[in-house]
Amino acid sequence: MVGITQQDLGAALGLTFQQIQKYERGMNRVGASRLFDISQILAVPVQFFFDDMEPGIADQSPRNRVGMSEIPITYADTNPLASKDARKMLKAFNTIANPLCKRRLVELVRAIAKSE
């Protein structure tokens, strides 16, 4: 999705692409610090990896079981790339080869944002 191969990601982490495949398939667990490293390499927030999580799975979070669910999580509100739509738009934007088209698209989005 962000244009990096498993081999490139593995190299950046000091791992083989086979290890990355095991993470991707769920054969091996990914620790928090490793997940953070992956998010930094891919330039996405850690929340990116949980966007498609089914509600039933999210409800089983230890955070909910120990009474911490009342504590608000504000990271998604402050990071412009936290929304799935923003990441999709950025991915599509990066496929545009013509710099003039890119510049005009940015101007269009800014104009729309000002008018709302």
Side-chain angles (χ1 to χ4, degrees), residues 5 7 10 13 15-16 20 22-23 25 33 39-40 45-46 51 60 66 71 74 76 80 89 95 103 107-108 113:
T5 66
Q7 190 164 0
L13 292 167
L15 302 170
T16 64
I20 300 302
K22 288 179 181 179
Y23 286 153
R25 293 183 183 144
S33 61
S39 75
Q40 296 298 296
V46 173
D51 282 345
Q60 298 172 23
V66 294
I71 301 171
T74 58
M89 190 180 319
T95 65
R103 189 172 34 238
E107 291 170 3
L108 173 65

mmCIF file of all heavy atoms in Angstrom, residues 5 7 10 13 15-16 20 22-23 25 33 39-40 45-46 51 60 66 71 74 76 80 89 95 103 107-108 113:
data_model
loop_
_atom_site.group_PDB
_atom_site.id
_atom_site.type_symbol
_atom_site.label_atom_id
_atom_site.label_comp_id
_atom_site.label_asym_id
_atom_site.label_seq_id
_atom_site.Cartn_x
_atom_site.Cartn_y
_atom_site.Cartn_z
ATOM 1 N N THR A 5 8.594 -2.999 -0.354
ATOM 2 C CA THR A 5 8.517 -4.456 -0.421
ATOM 3 C C THR A 5 8.806 -5.071 0.939
ATOM 4 O O THR A 5 9.377 -4.420 1.821
ATOM 5 C CB THR A 5 9.533 -5.014 -1.438
ATOM 6 O OG1 THR A 5 10.860 -4.757 -0.949
ATOM 7 C CG2 THR A 5 9.345 -4.399 -2.817
ATOM 8 N N GLN A 7 10.969 -7.273 1.430
ATOM 9 C CA GLN A 7 12.429 -7.353 1.506
ATOM 10 C C GLN A 7 13.016 -6.029 1.997
ATOM 11 O O GLN A 7 13.902 -6.016 2.856
ATOM 12 C CB GLN A 7 13.013 -7.720 0.149
ATOM 13 C CG GLN A 7 14.482 -8.058 0.214
ATOM 14 C CD GLN A 7 14.955 -8.778 -1.036
ATOM 15 O OE1 GLN A 7 14.180 -9.024 -1.950
ATOM 16 N NE2 GLN A 7 16.225 -9.108 -1.069
ATOM 17 N N GLY A 10 12.133 -5.627 5.673
ATOM 18 C CA GLY A 10 12.989 -6.516 6.461
ATOM 19 C C GLY A 10 14.392 -5.955 6.604
ATOM 20 O O GLY A 10 14.964 -5.968 7.703
ATOM 21 N N LEU A 13 14.593 -3.231 9.058
ATOM 22 C CA LEU A 13 14.450 -3.714 10.438
ATOM 23 C C LEU A 13 15.565 -4.665 10.853
ATOM 24 O O LEU A 13 15.608 -5.106 11.995
ATOM 25 C CB LEU A 13 13.105 -4.430 10.595
ATOM 26 C CG LEU A 13 11.864 -3.560 10.502
ATOM 27 C CD1 LEU A 13 10.611 -4.418 10.347
ATOM 28 C CD2 LEU A 13 11.745 -2.673 11.728
ATOM 29 N N LEU A 15 15.854 -7.701 9.465
ATOM 30 C CA LEU A 15 15.214 -9.016 9.432
ATOM 31 C C LEU A 15 15.168 -9.530 7.993
ATOM 32 O O LEU A 15 15.368 -8.766 7.057
ATOM 33 C CB LEU A 15 13.773 -8.924 9.954
ATOM 34 C CG LEU A 15 13.579 -8.380 11.363
ATOM 35 C CD1 LEU A 15 12.098 -8.129 11.615
ATOM 36 C CD2 LEU A 15 14.133 -9.358 12.381
ATOM 37 N N THR A 16 14.839 -10.803 7.849
ATOM 38 C CA THR A 16 14.643 -11.361 6.511
ATOM 39 C C THR A 16 13.199 -11.097 6.070
ATOM 40 O O THR A 16 12.322 -10.869 6.899
ATOM 41 C CB THR A 16 14.884 -12.881 6.501
ATOM 42 O OG1 THR A 16 13.897 -13.505 7.333
ATOM 43 C CG2 THR A 16 16.283 -13.221 7.004
ATOM 44 N N ILE A 20 9.228 -11.060 7.962
ATOM 45 C CA ILE A 20 8.164 -10.085 7.706
ATOM 46 C C ILE A 20 6.891 -10.820 7.272
ATOM 47 O O ILE A 20 5.784 -10.492 7.714
ATOM 48 C CB ILE A 20 8.592 -9.058 6.641
ATOM 49 C CG1 ILE A 20 9.827 -8.278 7.093
ATOM 50 C CG2 ILE A 20 7.437 -8.115 6.301
ATOM 51 C CD1 ILE A 20 9.674 -7.520 8.396
ATOM 52 N N LYS A 22 6.023 -13.813 8.130
ATOM 53 C CA LYS A 22 5.455 -14.467 9.316
ATOM 54 C C LYS A 22 4.666 -13.465 10.148
ATOM 55 O O LYS A 22 3.605 -13.791 10.687
ATOM 56 C CB LYS A 22 6.562 -15.102 10.151
ATOM 57 C CG LYS A 22 7.162 -16.342 9.497
ATOM 58 C CD LYS A 22 8.277 -16.914 10.343
ATOM 59 C CE LYS A 22 8.901 -18.131 9.672
ATOM 60 N NZ LYS A 22 9.996 -18.684 10.474
ATOM 61 N N TYR A 23 5.162 -12.233 10.275
ATOM 62 C CA TYR A 23 4.418 -11.190 10.976
ATOM 63 C C TYR A 23 3.107 -10.913 10.244
ATOM 64 O O TYR A 23 2.044 -10.825 10.847
ATOM 65 C CB TYR A 23 5.217 -9.883 11.037
ATOM 66 C CG TYR A 23 6.380 -9.860 12.001
ATOM 67 C CD1 TYR A 23 7.457 -9.017 11.768
ATOM 68 C CD2 TYR A 23 6.401 -10.634 13.151
ATOM 69 C CE1 TYR A 23 8.523 -8.963 12.648
ATOM 70 C CE2 TYR A 23 7.459 -10.591 14.036
ATOM 71 C CZ TYR A 23 8.522 -9.744 13.776
ATOM 72 O OH TYR A 23 9.572 -9.672 14.643
ATOM 73 N N ARG A 25 1.341 -12.706 8.200
ATOM 74 C CA ARG A 25 0.376 -13.805 8.233
ATOM 75 C C ARG A 25 -0.111 -14.141 9.633
ATOM 76 O O ARG A 25 -0.995 -14.973 9.812
ATOM 77 C CB ARG A 25 0.997 -15.047 7.599
ATOM 78 C CG ARG A 25 1.234 -14.887 6.120
ATOM 79 C CD ARG A 25 1.774 -16.160 5.525
ATOM 80 N NE ARG A 25 2.068 -15.956 4.115
ATOM 81 C CZ ARG A 25 3.081 -16.489 3.475
ATOM 82 N NH1 ARG A 25 3.911 -17.288 4.125
ATOM 83 N NH2 ARG A 25 3.279 -16.247 2.203
ATOM 84 N N SER A 33 7.478 -2.547 20.441
ATOM 85 C CA SER A 33 8.584 -1.741 19.925
ATOM 86 C C SER A 33 8.833 -2.041 18.449
ATOM 87 O O SER A 33 9.138 -1.141 17.673
ATOM 88 C CB SER A 33 9.858 -1.974 20.737
ATOM 89 O OG SER A 33 10.260 -3.328 20.655
ATOM 90 N N SER A 39 5.966 1.119 11.950
ATOM 91 C CA SER A 39 5.154 2.301 11.642
ATOM 92 C C SER A 39 6.039 3.479 11.232
ATOM 93 O O SER A 39 5.668 4.243 10.339
ATOM 94 C CB SER A 39 4.262 2.675 12.816
ATOM 95 O OG SER A 39 4.995 3.289 13.848
ATOM 96 N N GLN A 40 7.198 3.605 11.865
ATOM 97 C CA GLN A 40 8.106 4.694 11.516
ATOM 98 C C GLN A 40 8.672 4.512 10.112
ATOM 99 O O GLN A 40 8.755 5.473 9.337
ATOM 100 C CB GLN A 40 9.254 4.778 12.540
ATOM 101 C CG GLN A 40 8.812 5.126 13.934
ATOM 102 C CD GLN A 40 8.168 6.480 14.019
ATOM 103 O OE1 GLN A 40 8.817 7.486 13.771
ATOM 104 N NE2 GLN A 40 6.886 6.520 14.340
ATOM 105 N N PRO A 45 0.917 6.058 11.317
ATOM 106 C CA PRO A 45 0.753 5.924 12.769
ATOM 107 C C PRO A 45 0.537 4.452 13.132
ATOM 108 O O PRO A 45 0.052 3.672 12.313
ATOM 109 C CB PRO A 45 -0.485 6.755 13.072
ATOM 110 C CG PRO A 45 -1.240 6.799 11.784
ATOM 111 C CD PRO A 45 -0.214 6.737 10.695
ATOM 112 N N VAL A 46 0.883 4.067 14.336
ATOM 113 C CA VAL A 46 0.690 2.693 14.786
ATOM 114 C C VAL A 46 -0.775 2.291 14.629
ATOM 115 O O VAL A 46 -1.081 1.151 14.275
ATOM 116 C CB VAL A 46 1.173 2.512 16.253
ATOM 117 C CG1 VAL A 46 0.823 1.137 16.783
ATOM 118 C CG2 VAL A 46 2.680 2.749 16.347
ATOM 119 N N ASP A 51 -6.870 -0.238 12.044
ATOM 120 C CA ASP A 51 -8.039 0.414 11.455
ATOM 121 C C ASP A 51 -9.134 -0.562 11.051
ATOM 122 O O ASP A 51 -10.306 -0.251 11.172
ATOM 123 C CB ASP A 51 -7.638 1.251 10.235
ATOM 124 C CG ASP A 51 -7.011 2.570 10.635
ATOM 125 O OD1 ASP A 51 -7.146 2.963 11.806
ATOM 126 O OD2 ASP A 51 -6.387 3.198 9.767
ATOM 127 N N GLN A 60 -12.217 -7.091 23.214
ATOM 128 C CA GLN A 60 -11.483 -8.019 24.069
ATOM 129 C C GLN A 60 -10.166 -7.442 24.578
ATOM 130 O O GLN A 60 -9.423 -8.109 25.282
ATOM 131 C CB GLN A 60 -11.203 -9.318 23.311
ATOM 132 C CG GLN A 60 -12.458 -10.054 22.904
ATOM 133 C CD GLN A 60 -12.144 -11.228 22.004
ATOM 134 O OE1 GLN A 60 -11.039 -11.753 22.009
ATOM 135 N NE2 GLN A 60 -13.117 -11.640 21.220
ATOM 136 N N VAL A 66 -9.537 -3.896 32.261
ATOM 137 C CA VAL A 66 -9.003 -3.343 33.509
ATOM 138 C C VAL A 66 -9.563 -1.959 33.820
ATOM 139 O O VAL A 66 -9.054 -1.258 34.664
ATOM 140 C CB VAL A 66 -7.451 -3.291 33.493
ATOM 141 C CG1 VAL A 66 -6.872 -4.677 33.458
ATOM 142 C CG2 VAL A 66 -6.925 -2.430 32.372
ATOM 143 N N ILE A 71 -10.446 6.315 29.456
ATOM 144 C CA ILE A 71 -9.365 7.248 29.148
ATOM 145 C C ILE A 71 -9.364 7.494 27.638
ATOM 146 O O ILE A 71 -9.211 6.566 26.854
ATOM 147 C CB ILE A 71 -8.004 6.695 29.609
ATOM 148 C CG1 ILE A 71 -8.026 6.449 31.119
ATOM 149 C CG2 ILE A 71 -6.877 7.641 29.223
ATOM 150 C CD1 ILE A 71 -6.821 5.700 31.638
ATOM 151 N N THR A 74 -6.303 10.326 22.063
ATOM 152 C CA THR A 74 -6.400 11.512 21.224
ATOM 153 C C THR A 74 -5.425 11.514 20.061
ATOM 154 O O THR A 74 -5.458 12.408 19.239
ATOM 155 C CB THR A 74 -6.158 12.779 22.061
ATOM 156 O OG1 THR A 74 -4.866 12.691 22.671
ATOM 157 C CG2 THR A 74 -7.224 12.935 23.129
ATOM 158 N N ALA A 76 -5.263 9.873 17.287
ATOM 159 C CA ALA A 76 -5.918 9.871 15.980
ATOM 160 C C ALA A 76 -6.487 11.243 15.648
ATOM 161 O O ALA A 76 -6.578 11.613 14.484
ATOM 162 C CB ALA A 76 -7.014 8.819 15.937
ATOM 163 N N PRO A 80 -2.804 13.975 11.092
ATOM 164 C CA PRO A 80 -3.573 14.051 9.854
ATOM 165 C C PRO A 80 -3.567 12.752 9.057
ATOM 166 O O PRO A 80 -4.449 12.528 8.241
ATOM 167 C CB PRO A 80 -2.911 15.183 9.079
ATOM 168 C CG PRO A 80 -1.568 15.350 9.679
ATOM 169 C CD PRO A 80 -1.675 14.887 11.099
ATOM 170 N N MET A 89 -5.875 9.007 0.036
ATOM 171 C CA MET A 89 -5.659 10.175 -0.802
ATOM 172 C C MET A 89 -4.164 10.405 -1.036
ATOM 173 O O MET A 89 -3.740 10.696 -2.159
ATOM 174 C CB MET A 89 -6.288 11.413 -0.167
ATOM 175 C CG MET A 89 -6.281 12.589 -1.121
ATOM 176 S SD MET A 89 -6.999 14.140 -0.508
ATOM 177 C CE MET A 89 -8.426 13.632 0.368
ATOM 178 N N THR A 95 0.933 8.816 -6.808
ATOM 179 C CA THR A 95 1.017 8.159 -8.118
ATOM 180 C C THR A 95 0.923 9.154 -9.273
ATOM 181 O O THR A 95 1.178 8.786 -10.419
ATOM 182 C CB THR A 95 -0.088 7.095 -8.292
ATOM 183 O OG1 THR A 95 -1.361 7.738 -8.294
ATOM 184 C CG2 THR A 95 -0.010 6.046 -7.194
ATOM 185 N N ARG A 103 0.292 20.201 -7.964
ATOM 186 C CA ARG A 103 0.166 21.538 -7.378
ATOM 187 C C ARG A 103 -1.280 22.029 -7.475
ATOM 188 O O ARG A 103 -1.830 22.573 -6.523
ATOM 189 C CB ARG A 103 1.128 22.499 -8.077
ATOM 190 C CG ARG A 103 1.243 23.829 -7.417
ATOM 191 C CD ARG A 103 2.338 24.723 -7.987
ATOM 192 N NE ARG A 103 2.533 24.549 -9.413
ATOM 193 C CZ ARG A 103 3.683 24.191 -9.978
ATOM 194 N NH1 ARG A 103 4.741 23.978 -9.236
ATOM 195 N NH2 ARG A 103 3.794 24.062 -11.277
ATOM 196 N N GLU A 107 -4.052 22.969 -4.533
ATOM 197 C CA GLU A 107 -4.792 24.237 -4.520
ATOM 198 C C GLU A 107 -6.299 23.992 -4.459
ATOM 199 O O GLU A 107 -7.019 24.694 -3.749
ATOM 200 C CB GLU A 107 -4.438 25.059 -5.760
ATOM 201 C CG GLU A 107 -3.018 25.582 -5.745
ATOM 202 C CD GLU A 107 -2.582 26.180 -7.072
ATOM 203 O OE1 GLU A 107 -3.402 26.254 -8.025
ATOM 204 O OE2 GLU A 107 -1.411 26.577 -7.181
ATOM 205 N N LEU A 108 -6.781 23.001 -5.192
ATOM 206 C CA LEU A 108 -8.212 22.659 -5.175
ATOM 207 C C LEU A 108 -8.658 22.229 -3.786
ATOM 208 O O LEU A 108 -9.673 22.708 -3.265
ATOM 209 C CB LEU A 108 -8.500 21.557 -6.194
ATOM 210 C CG LEU A 108 -9.926 20.986 -6.172
ATOM 211 C CD1 LEU A 108 -10.938 22.060 -6.566
ATOM 212 C CD2 LEU A 108 -10.022 19.786 -7.089
ATOM 213 N N ALA A 113 -11.435 23.312 1.350
ATOM 214 C CA ALA A 113 -11.353 23.382 2.814
ATOM 215 C C ALA A 113 -11.728 24.777 3.323
ATOM 216 O O ALA A 113 -12.411 24.901 4.342
ATOM 217 C CB ALA A 113 -9.957 23.000 3.279
#
